PDB file of all heavy atoms in Angstrom:
ATOM      1  N   LEU A   1       0.721  -6.886  -2.282  1.00 63.00           N
ATOM      2  CA  LEU A   1       0.055  -7.994  -2.933  1.00 63.00           C
ATOM      3  C   LEU A   1       1.006  -9.175  -3.017  1.00 63.00           C
ATOM      4  O   LEU A   1       2.171  -9.097  -2.645  1.00 63.00           O
ATOM      5  CB  LEU A   1      -0.443  -7.610  -4.327  1.00 63.00           C
ATOM      6  CG  LEU A   1       0.518  -6.952  -5.330  1.00 63.00           C
ATOM      7  CD1 LEU A   1       1.587  -7.912  -5.816  1.00 63.00           C
ATOM      8  CD2 LEU A   1      -0.257  -6.434  -6.517  1.00 63.00           C
ATOM      9  N   SER A   2       0.489 -10.291  -3.509  1.00 58.00           N
ATOM     10  CA  SER A   2       1.320 -11.453  -3.773  1.00 58.00           C
ATOM     11  C   SER A   2       1.618 -11.516  -5.263  1.00 58.00           C
ATOM     12  O   SER A   2       0.794 -11.141  -6.096  1.00 58.00           O
ATOM     13  CB  SER A   2       0.608 -12.736  -3.338  1.00 58.00           C
ATOM     14  OG  SER A   2       0.611 -12.852  -1.938  1.00 58.00           O
ATOM     15  N   LEU A   3       2.803 -11.969  -5.596  1.00 60.00           N
ATOM     16  CA  LEU A   3       3.235 -12.072  -6.978  1.00 60.00           C
ATOM     17  C   LEU A   3       3.452 -13.539  -7.320  1.00 60.00           C
ATOM     18  O   LEU A   3       4.156 -14.254  -6.614  1.00 60.00           O
ATOM     19  CB  LEU A   3       4.538 -11.296  -7.186  1.00 60.00           C
ATOM     20  CG  LEU A   3       4.508  -9.819  -6.817  1.00 60.00           C
ATOM     21  CD1 LEU A   3       5.903  -9.230  -6.870  1.00 60.00           C
ATOM     22  CD2 LEU A   3       3.583  -9.062  -7.758  1.00 60.00           C
ATOM     23  N   LEU A   4       2.846 -13.969  -8.396  1.00 57.00           N
ATOM     24  CA  LEU A   4       3.040 -15.330  -8.858  1.00 57.00           C
ATOM     25  C   LEU A   4       3.810 -15.290 -10.165  1.00 57.00           C
ATOM     26  O   LEU A   4       3.378 -14.684 -11.138  1.00 57.00           O
ATOM     27  CB  LEU A   4       1.696 -16.037  -9.047  1.00 57.00           C
ATOM     28  CG  LEU A   4       1.789 -17.525  -9.389  1.00 57.00           C
ATOM     29  CD1 LEU A   4       0.693 -18.294  -8.657  1.00 57.00           C
ATOM     30  CD2 LEU A   4       1.694 -17.769 -10.882  1.00 57.00           C
ATOM     31  N   HIS A   5       4.975 -15.909 -10.168  1.00 52.00           N
ATOM     32  CA  HIS A   5       5.842 -15.919 -11.340  1.00 52.00           C
ATOM     33  C   HIS A   5       5.517 -17.164 -12.147  1.00 52.00           C
ATOM     34  O   HIS A   5       5.900 -18.265 -11.804  1.00 52.00           O
ATOM     35  CB  HIS A   5       7.300 -15.931 -10.877  1.00 52.00           C
ATOM     36  CG  HIS A   5       8.288 -15.928 -12.002  1.00 52.00           C
ATOM     37  ND1 HIS A   5       9.584 -16.355 -11.826  1.00 52.00           N
ATOM     38  CD2 HIS A   5       8.182 -15.577 -13.309  1.00 52.00           C
ATOM     39  CE1 HIS A   5      10.232 -16.263 -12.974  1.00 52.00           C
ATOM     40  NE2 HIS A   5       9.395 -15.791 -13.878  1.00 52.00           N
ATOM     41  N   TRP A   6       4.780 -16.965 -13.243  1.00 53.00           N
ATOM     42  CA  TRP A   6       4.273 -18.075 -14.055  1.00 53.00           C
ATOM     43  C   TRP A   6       5.267 -18.402 -15.164  1.00 53.00           C
ATOM     44  O   TRP A   6       5.596 -17.557 -15.990  1.00 53.00           O
ATOM     45  CB  TRP A   6       2.921 -17.670 -14.648  1.00 53.00           C
ATOM     46  CG  TRP A   6       2.173 -18.774 -15.309  1.00 53.00           C
ATOM     47  CD1 TRP A   6       2.064 -19.013 -16.635  1.00 53.00           C
ATOM     48  CD2 TRP A   6       1.397 -19.774 -14.658  1.00 53.00           C
ATOM     49  NE1 TRP A   6       1.283 -20.101 -16.855  1.00 53.00           N
ATOM     50  CE2 TRP A   6       0.860 -20.589 -15.658  1.00 53.00           C
ATOM     51  CE3 TRP A   6       1.122 -20.062 -13.311  1.00 53.00           C
ATOM     52  CZ2 TRP A   6       0.044 -21.681 -15.371  1.00 53.00           C
ATOM     53  CZ3 TRP A   6       0.311 -21.137 -13.041  1.00 53.00           C
ATOM     54  CH2 TRP A   6      -0.212 -21.928 -14.045  1.00 53.00           C
ATOM     55  N   LEU A   7       5.746 -19.636 -15.187  1.00 50.00           N
ATOM     56  CA  LEU A   7       6.790 -20.007 -16.140  1.00 50.00           C
ATOM     57  C   LEU A   7       6.267 -20.198 -17.547  1.00 50.00           C
ATOM     58  O   LEU A   7       7.035 -20.230 -18.507  1.00 50.00           O
ATOM     59  CB  LEU A   7       7.473 -21.296 -15.668  1.00 50.00           C
ATOM     60  CG  LEU A   7       8.153 -21.240 -14.288  1.00 50.00           C
ATOM     61  CD1 LEU A   7       8.824 -22.564 -13.987  1.00 50.00           C
ATOM     62  CD2 LEU A   7       9.158 -20.110 -14.219  1.00 50.00           C
ATOM     63  N   HIS A   8       4.945 -20.310 -17.699  1.00 51.00           N
ATOM     64  CA  HIS A   8       4.357 -20.593 -19.004  1.00 51.00           C
ATOM     65  C   HIS A   8       3.908 -19.297 -19.677  1.00 51.00           C
ATOM     66  O   HIS A   8       3.954 -18.222 -19.103  1.00 51.00           O
ATOM     67  CB  HIS A   8       3.163 -21.542 -18.839  1.00 51.00           C
ATOM     68  CG  HIS A   8       3.515 -22.788 -18.088  1.00 51.00           C
ATOM     69  ND1 HIS A   8       4.206 -23.830 -18.645  1.00 51.00           N
ATOM     70  CD2 HIS A   8       3.279 -23.135 -16.798  1.00 51.00           C
ATOM     71  CE1 HIS A   8       4.367 -24.784 -17.747  1.00 51.00           C
ATOM     72  NE2 HIS A   8       3.817 -24.382 -16.619  1.00 51.00           N
ATOM     73  N   ASP A   9       3.440 -19.444 -20.936  1.00 51.00           N
ATOM     74  CA  ASP A   9       2.886 -18.300 -21.639  1.00 51.00           C
ATOM     75  C   ASP A   9       1.535 -17.943 -21.036  1.00 51.00           C
ATOM     76  O   ASP A   9       1.083 -18.540 -20.067  1.00 51.00           O
ATOM     77  CB  ASP A   9       2.742 -18.606 -23.132  1.00 51.00           C
ATOM     78  CG  ASP A   9       4.102 -18.692 -23.821  1.00 51.00           C
ATOM     79  OD1 ASP A   9       5.038 -18.014 -23.336  1.00 51.00           O
ATOM     80  OD2 ASP A   9       4.222 -19.430 -24.795  1.00 51.00           O
ATOM     81  N   PHE A  10       0.869 -16.988 -21.660  1.00 51.00           N
ATOM     82  CA  PHE A  10      -0.401 -16.483 -21.140  1.00 51.00           C
ATOM     83  C   PHE A  10      -1.304 -17.642 -20.747  1.00 51.00           C
ATOM     84  O   PHE A  10      -1.585 -18.523 -21.567  1.00 51.00           O
ATOM     85  CB  PHE A  10      -1.068 -15.613 -22.207  1.00 51.00           C
ATOM     86  CG  PHE A  10      -2.139 -14.731 -21.661  1.00 51.00           C
ATOM     87  CD1 PHE A  10      -1.849 -13.809 -20.685  1.00 51.00           C
ATOM     88  CD2 PHE A  10      -3.426 -14.834 -22.132  1.00 51.00           C
ATOM     89  CE1 PHE A  10      -2.828 -12.974 -20.187  1.00 51.00           C
ATOM     90  CE2 PHE A  10      -4.416 -14.009 -21.636  1.00 51.00           C
ATOM     91  CZ  PHE A  10      -4.120 -13.088 -20.666  1.00 51.00           C
ATOM     92  N   PRO A  11      -1.773 -17.679 -19.498  1.00 47.00           N
ATOM     93  CA  PRO A  11      -2.334 -18.911 -18.939  1.00 47.00           C
ATOM     94  C   PRO A  11      -3.754 -19.251 -19.361  1.00 47.00           C
ATOM     95  O   PRO A  11      -4.542 -19.723 -18.559  1.00 47.00           O
ATOM     96  CB  PRO A  11      -2.264 -18.654 -17.430  1.00 47.00           C
ATOM     97  CG  PRO A  11      -2.406 -17.187 -17.304  1.00 47.00           C
ATOM     98  CD  PRO A  11      -1.685 -16.625 -18.497  1.00 47.00           C
ATOM     99  N   TRP A  12      -4.107 -19.021 -20.659  1.00 46.00           N
ATOM    100  CA  TRP A  12      -5.331 -19.640 -21.145  1.00 46.00           C
ATOM    101  C   TRP A  12      -5.025 -21.084 -21.547  1.00 46.00           C
ATOM    102  O   TRP A  12      -5.918 -21.869 -21.781  1.00 46.00           O
ATOM    103  CB  TRP A  12      -5.890 -18.917 -22.355  1.00 46.00           C
ATOM    104  CG  TRP A  12      -6.246 -17.475 -22.188  1.00 46.00           C
ATOM    105  CD1 TRP A  12      -6.131 -16.521 -23.145  1.00 46.00           C
ATOM    106  CD2 TRP A  12      -6.790 -16.817 -21.050  1.00 46.00           C
ATOM    107  NE1 TRP A  12      -6.558 -15.315 -22.652  1.00 46.00           N
ATOM    108  CE2 TRP A  12      -6.967 -15.472 -21.382  1.00 46.00           C
ATOM    109  CE3 TRP A  12      -7.138 -17.247 -19.768  1.00 46.00           C
ATOM    110  CZ2 TRP A  12      -7.481 -14.547 -20.487  1.00 46.00           C
ATOM    111  CZ3 TRP A  12      -7.637 -16.322 -18.884  1.00 46.00           C
ATOM    112  CH2 TRP A  12      -7.812 -15.000 -19.240  1.00 46.00           C
ATOM    113  N   LEU A  13      -3.733 -21.410 -21.672  1.00 43.00           N
ATOM    114  CA  LEU A  13      -3.339 -22.718 -22.143  1.00 43.00           C
ATOM    115  C   LEU A  13      -3.466 -23.757 -21.040  1.00 43.00           C
ATOM    116  O   LEU A  13      -3.734 -23.450 -19.887  1.00 43.00           O
ATOM    117  CB  LEU A  13      -1.909 -22.650 -22.698  1.00 43.00           C
ATOM    118  CG  LEU A  13      -1.710 -21.557 -23.756  1.00 43.00           C
ATOM    119  CD1 LEU A  13      -0.274 -21.553 -24.231  1.00 43.00           C
ATOM    120  CD2 LEU A  13      -2.646 -21.778 -24.937  1.00 43.00           C
ATOM    121  N   ARG A  14      -3.258 -25.006 -21.393  1.00 48.00           N
ATOM    122  CA  ARG A  14      -3.503 -26.104 -20.464  1.00 48.00           C
ATOM    123  C   ARG A  14      -2.862 -25.953 -19.090  1.00 48.00           C
ATOM    124  O   ARG A  14      -3.481 -26.321 -18.106  1.00 48.00           O
ATOM    125  CB  ARG A  14      -3.032 -27.425 -21.088  1.00 48.00           C
ATOM    126  CG  ARG A  14      -3.884 -27.895 -22.242  1.00 48.00           C
ATOM    127  CD  ARG A  14      -5.329 -28.128 -21.810  1.00 48.00           C
ATOM    128  NE  ARG A  14      -6.204 -27.058 -22.262  1.00 48.00           N
ATOM    129  CZ  ARG A  14      -7.441 -26.913 -21.854  1.00 48.00           C
ATOM    130  NH1 ARG A  14      -7.946 -27.733 -20.978  1.00 48.00           N
ATOM    131  NH2 ARG A  14      -8.174 -25.932 -22.315  1.00 48.00           N
ATOM    132  N   PRO A  15      -1.617 -25.457 -18.953  1.00 46.00           N
ATOM    133  CA  PRO A  15      -1.023 -25.398 -17.610  1.00 46.00           C
ATOM    134  C   PRO A  15      -1.847 -24.603 -16.618  1.00 46.00           C
ATOM    135  O   PRO A  15      -1.729 -24.810 -15.409  1.00 46.00           O
ATOM    136  CB  PRO A  15       0.336 -24.728 -17.857  1.00 46.00           C
ATOM    137  CG  PRO A  15       0.657 -25.072 -19.265  1.00 46.00           C
ATOM    138  CD  PRO A  15      -0.668 -25.040 -19.983  1.00 46.00           C
ATOM    139  N   TYR A  16      -2.688 -23.687 -17.079  1.00 48.00           N
ATOM    140  CA  TYR A  16      -3.402 -22.842 -16.124  1.00 48.00           C
ATOM    141  C   TYR A  16      -4.522 -23.617 -15.429  1.00 48.00           C
ATOM    142  O   TYR A  16      -5.124 -23.128 -14.491  1.00 48.00           O
ATOM    143  CB  TYR A  16      -3.946 -21.587 -16.805  1.00 48.00           C
ATOM    144  CG  TYR A  16      -5.364 -21.670 -17.302  1.00 48.00           C
ATOM    145  CD1 TYR A  16      -6.414 -21.168 -16.536  1.00 48.00           C
ATOM    146  CD2 TYR A  16      -5.657 -22.247 -18.531  1.00 48.00           C
ATOM    147  CE1 TYR A  16      -7.710 -21.230 -16.990  1.00 48.00           C
ATOM    148  CE2 TYR A  16      -6.951 -22.319 -18.978  1.00 48.00           C
ATOM    149  CZ  TYR A  16      -7.973 -21.809 -18.211  1.00 48.00           C
ATOM    150  OH  TYR A  16      -9.259 -21.883 -18.664  1.00 48.00           O
ATOM    151  N   ARG A  17      -4.748 -24.888 -15.846  1.00 51.00           N
ATOM    152  CA  ARG A  17      -5.729 -25.701 -15.122  1.00 51.00           C
ATOM    153  C   ARG A  17      -5.344 -25.838 -13.653  1.00 51.00           C
ATOM    154  O   ARG A  17      -6.190 -25.949 -12.784  1.00 51.00           O
ATOM    155  CB  ARG A  17      -5.820 -27.092 -15.744  1.00 51.00           C
ATOM    156  CG  ARG A  17      -6.702 -27.162 -16.971  1.00 51.00           C
ATOM    157  CD  ARG A  17      -6.974 -28.582 -17.346  1.00 51.00           C
ATOM    158  NE  ARG A  17      -7.983 -28.663 -18.388  1.00 51.00           N
ATOM    159  CZ  ARG A  17      -8.562 -29.780 -18.768  1.00 51.00           C
ATOM    160  NH1 ARG A  17      -8.230 -30.919 -18.183  1.00 51.00           N
ATOM    161  NH2 ARG A  17      -9.472 -29.777 -19.715  1.00 51.00           N
ATOM    162  N   ASN A  18      -4.038 -25.837 -13.389  1.00 52.00           N
ATOM    163  CA  ASN A  18      -3.564 -26.021 -12.023  1.00 52.00           C
ATOM    164  C   ASN A  18      -3.358 -24.710 -11.278  1.00 52.00           C
ATOM    165  O   ASN A  18      -2.869 -24.703 -10.159  1.00 52.00           O
ATOM    166  CB  ASN A  18      -2.238 -26.790 -12.035  1.00 52.00           C
ATOM    167  CG  ASN A  18      -2.422 -28.195 -12.577  1.00 52.00           C
ATOM    168  OD1 ASN A  18      -3.415 -28.848 -12.302  1.00 52.00           O
ATOM    169  ND2 ASN A  18      -1.468 -28.650 -13.364  1.00 52.00           N
ATOM    170  N   ILE A  19      -3.743 -23.607 -11.894  1.00 53.00           N
ATOM    171  CA  ILE A  19      -3.453 -22.315 -11.283  1.00 53.00           C
ATOM    172  C   ILE A  19      -4.165 -22.173  -9.940  1.00 53.00           C
ATOM    173  O   ILE A  19      -3.652 -21.566  -9.008  1.00 53.00           O
ATOM    174  CB  ILE A  19      -3.837 -21.160 -12.231  1.00 53.00           C
ATOM    175  CG1 ILE A  19      -3.237 -19.861 -11.722  1.00 53.00           C
ATOM    176  CG2 ILE A  19      -5.332 -21.027 -12.374  1.00 53.00           C
ATOM    177  CD1 ILE A  19      -3.368 -18.733 -12.721  1.00 53.00           C
ATOM    178  N   HIS A  20      -5.368 -22.778  -9.819  1.00 51.00           N
ATOM    179  CA  HIS A  20      -6.089 -22.652  -8.553  1.00 51.00           C
ATOM    180  C   HIS A  20      -5.349 -23.335  -7.424  1.00 51.00           C
ATOM    181  O   HIS A  20      -5.425 -22.915  -6.277  1.00 51.00           O
ATOM    182  CB  HIS A  20      -7.500 -23.210  -8.684  1.00 51.00           C
ATOM    183  CG  HIS A  20      -7.572 -24.669  -8.965  1.00 51.00           C
ATOM    184  ND1 HIS A  20      -7.194 -25.207 -10.162  1.00 51.00           N
ATOM    185  CD2 HIS A  20      -7.977 -25.700  -8.177  1.00 51.00           C
ATOM    186  CE1 HIS A  20      -7.374 -26.512 -10.126  1.00 51.00           C
ATOM    187  NE2 HIS A  20      -7.829 -26.840  -8.930  1.00 51.00           N
ATOM    188  N   LEU A  21      -4.577 -24.378  -7.726  1.00 46.00           N
ATOM    189  CA  LEU A  21      -3.805 -25.064  -6.695  1.00 46.00           C
ATOM    190  C   LEU A  21      -2.645 -24.201  -6.211  1.00 46.00           C
ATOM    191  O   LEU A  21      -2.224 -24.285  -5.067  1.00 46.00           O
ATOM    192  CB  LEU A  21      -3.262 -26.389  -7.240  1.00 46.00           C
ATOM    193  CG  LEU A  21      -4.306 -27.398  -7.693  1.00 46.00           C
ATOM    194  CD1 LEU A  21      -3.619 -28.626  -8.270  1.00 46.00           C
ATOM    195  CD2 LEU A  21      -5.209 -27.803  -6.539  1.00 46.00           C
ATOM    196  N   ASN A  22      -2.118 -23.365  -7.111  1.00 50.00           N
ATOM    197  CA  ASN A  22      -0.976 -22.530  -6.783  1.00 50.00           C
ATOM    198  C   ASN A  22      -1.382 -21.214  -6.127  1.00 50.00           C
ATOM    199  O   ASN A  22      -0.636 -20.651  -5.332  1.00 50.00           O
ATOM    200  CB  ASN A  22      -0.179 -22.208  -8.057  1.00 50.00           C
ATOM    201  CG  ASN A  22       0.319 -23.461  -8.740  1.00 50.00           C
ATOM    202  OD1 ASN A  22       0.643 -24.443  -8.101  1.00 50.00           O
ATOM    203  ND2 ASN A  22       0.379 -23.419 -10.065  1.00 50.00           N
ATOM    204  N   VAL A  23      -2.557 -20.729  -6.465  1.00 53.00           N
ATOM    205  CA  VAL A  23      -2.973 -19.396  -6.038  1.00 53.00           C
ATOM    206  C   VAL A  23      -3.816 -19.426  -4.772  1.00 53.00           C
ATOM    207  O   VAL A  23      -3.818 -18.484  -3.997  1.00 53.00           O
ATOM    208  CB  VAL A  23      -3.778 -18.701  -7.170  1.00 53.00           C
ATOM    209  CG1 VAL A  23      -4.281 -17.348  -6.712  1.00 53.00           C
ATOM    210  CG2 VAL A  23      -2.918 -18.550  -8.404  1.00 53.00           C
ATOM    211  N   ILE A  24      -4.506 -20.520  -4.533  1.00 46.00           N
ATOM    212  CA  ILE A  24      -5.554 -20.527  -3.522  1.00 46.00           C
ATOM    213  C   ILE A  24      -5.038 -20.183  -2.131  1.00 46.00           C
ATOM    214  O   ILE A  24      -5.776 -19.686  -1.286  1.00 46.00           O
ATOM    215  CB  ILE A  24      -6.274 -21.894  -3.514  1.00 46.00           C
ATOM    216  CG1 ILE A  24      -7.608 -21.766  -2.795  1.00 46.00           C
ATOM    217  CG2 ILE A  24      -5.395 -22.969  -2.871  1.00 46.00           C
ATOM    218  CD1 ILE A  24      -8.523 -22.952  -3.028  1.00 46.00           C
ATOM    219  N   SER A  25      -3.748 -20.430  -1.857  1.00 46.00           N
ATOM    220  CA  SER A  25      -3.226 -20.174  -0.513  1.00 46.00           C
ATOM    221  C   SER A  25      -2.379 -18.910  -0.433  1.00 46.00           C
ATOM    222  O   SER A  25      -1.666 -18.709   0.531  1.00 46.00           O
ATOM    223  CB  SER A  25      -2.367 -21.369  -0.055  1.00 46.00           C
ATOM    224  OG  SER A  25      -1.263 -21.520  -0.917  1.00 46.00           O
ATOM    225  N   TYR A  26      -2.469 -18.051  -1.454  1.00 48.00           N
ATOM    226  CA  TYR A  26      -1.610 -16.871  -1.442  1.00 48.00           C
ATOM    227  C   TYR A  26      -1.981 -15.943  -0.298  1.00 48.00           C
ATOM    228  O   TYR A  26      -3.120 -15.896   0.146  1.00 48.00           O
ATOM    229  CB  TYR A  26      -1.664 -16.141  -2.779  1.00 48.00           C
ATOM    230  CG  TYR A  26      -2.840 -15.197  -2.931  1.00 48.00           C
ATOM    231  CD1 TYR A  26      -2.742 -13.869  -2.552  1.00 48.00           C
ATOM    232  CD2 TYR A  26      -4.038 -15.648  -3.483  1.00 48.00           C
ATOM    233  CE1 TYR A  26      -3.808 -13.010  -2.700  1.00 48.00           C
ATOM    234  CE2 TYR A  26      -5.114 -14.787  -3.627  1.00 48.00           C
ATOM    235  CZ  TYR A  26      -4.990 -13.487  -3.239  1.00 48.00           C
ATOM    236  OH  TYR A  26      -6.045 -12.632  -3.391  1.00 48.00           O
ATOM    237  N   ASP A  27      -0.972 -15.198   0.174  1.00 44.00           N
ATOM    238  CA  ASP A  27      -1.174 -14.258   1.267  1.00 44.00           C
ATOM    239  C   ASP A  27      -1.367 -12.883   0.683  1.00 44.00           C
ATOM    240  O   ASP A  27      -0.431 -12.266   0.194  1.00 44.00           O
ATOM    241  CB  ASP A  27       0.049 -14.282   2.210  1.00 44.00           C
ATOM    242  CG  ASP A  27      -0.056 -13.247   3.315  1.00 44.00           C
ATOM    243  OD1 ASP A  27      -1.138 -12.659   3.492  1.00 44.00           O
ATOM    244  OD2 ASP A  27       0.961 -13.032   4.006  1.00 44.00           O
ATOM    245  N   SER A  28      -2.578 -12.360   0.750  1.00 44.00           N
ATOM    246  CA  SER A  28      -2.874 -11.079   0.103  1.00 44.00           C
ATOM    247  C   SER A  28      -2.264  -9.891   0.829  1.00 44.00           C
ATOM    248  O   SER A  28      -2.306  -8.773   0.334  1.00 44.00           O
ATOM    249  CB  SER A  28      -4.391 -10.884   0.004  1.00 44.00           C
ATOM    250  OG  SER A  28      -4.953 -10.820   1.287  1.00 44.00           O
ATOM    251  N   LEU A  29      -1.684 -10.110   1.990  1.00 41.00           N
ATOM    252  CA  LEU A  29      -1.070  -9.012   2.730  1.00 41.00           C
ATOM    253  C   LEU A  29       0.449  -9.019   2.631  1.00 41.00           C
ATOM    254  O   LEU A  29       1.101  -8.078   3.083  1.00 41.00           O
ATOM    255  CB  LEU A  29      -1.477  -9.080   4.208  1.00 41.00           C
ATOM    256  CG  LEU A  29      -2.973  -8.910   4.477  1.00 41.00           C
ATOM    257  CD1 LEU A  29      -3.231  -9.022   5.969  1.00 41.00           C
ATOM    258  CD2 LEU A  29      -3.469  -7.588   3.945  1.00 41.00           C
ATOM    259  N   GLY A  30       1.021 -10.045   2.021  1.00 45.00           N
ATOM    260  CA  GLY A  30       2.473 -10.138   1.915  1.00 45.00           C
ATOM    261  C   GLY A  30       2.909 -10.064   0.477  1.00 45.00           C
ATOM    262  O   GLY A  30       2.114 -10.225  -0.441  1.00 45.00           O
ATOM    263  N   VAL A  31       4.188  -9.804   0.263  1.00 41.00           N
ATOM    264  CA  VAL A  31       4.740  -9.759  -1.079  1.00 41.00           C
ATOM    265  C   VAL A  31       5.699 -10.933  -1.214  1.00 41.00           C
ATOM    266  O   VAL A  31       6.756 -10.938  -0.599  1.00 41.00           O
ATOM    267  CB  VAL A  31       5.468  -8.423  -1.340  1.00 41.00           C
ATOM    268  CG1 VAL A  31       6.065  -8.420  -2.734  1.00 41.00           C
ATOM    269  CG2 VAL A  31       4.506  -7.265  -1.165  1.00 41.00           C
ATOM    270  N   GLU A  32       5.307 -11.895  -1.969  1.00 44.00           N
ATOM    271  CA  GLU A  32       6.110 -13.109  -2.084  1.00 44.00           C
ATOM    272  C   GLU A  32       6.212 -13.523  -3.544  1.00 44.00           C
ATOM    273  O   GLU A  32       5.244 -13.443  -4.292  1.00 44.00           O
ATOM    274  CB  GLU A  32       5.465 -14.261  -1.279  1.00 44.00           C
ATOM    275  CG  GLU A  32       5.315 -13.940   0.203  1.00 44.00           C
ATOM    276  CD  GLU A  32       4.573 -15.042   0.933  1.00 44.00           C
ATOM    277  OE1 GLU A  32       4.136 -15.987   0.245  1.00 44.00           O
ATOM    278  OE2 GLU A  32       4.453 -14.963   2.161  1.00 44.00           O
TER     279      GLU A  32
END
């Protein structure tokens, strides 16, 4: 899987608004 290291607290907070920009291009077959 892909691993996303989120610098913020649990992402219900405002920063998670941009999570789709960070996640949308992840490679589901690689570990990064």
Side-chain angles (χ1 to χ4, degrees):
L1 51 69
S2 286
L3 303 171
L4 186 141
H5 181 201
W6 190 258
L7 300 182
H8 306 283
D9 290 331
F10 197 59
W12 301 146
L13 307 179
R14 290 300 104 191
Y16 94 97
R17 278 192 171 191
N18 296 321
I19 193 170
H20 64 290
L21 299 177
N22 301 326
V23 177
I24 197 166
S25 62
Y26 83 90
D27 176 11
S28 63
L29 297 179
V31 178
E32 301 175 356

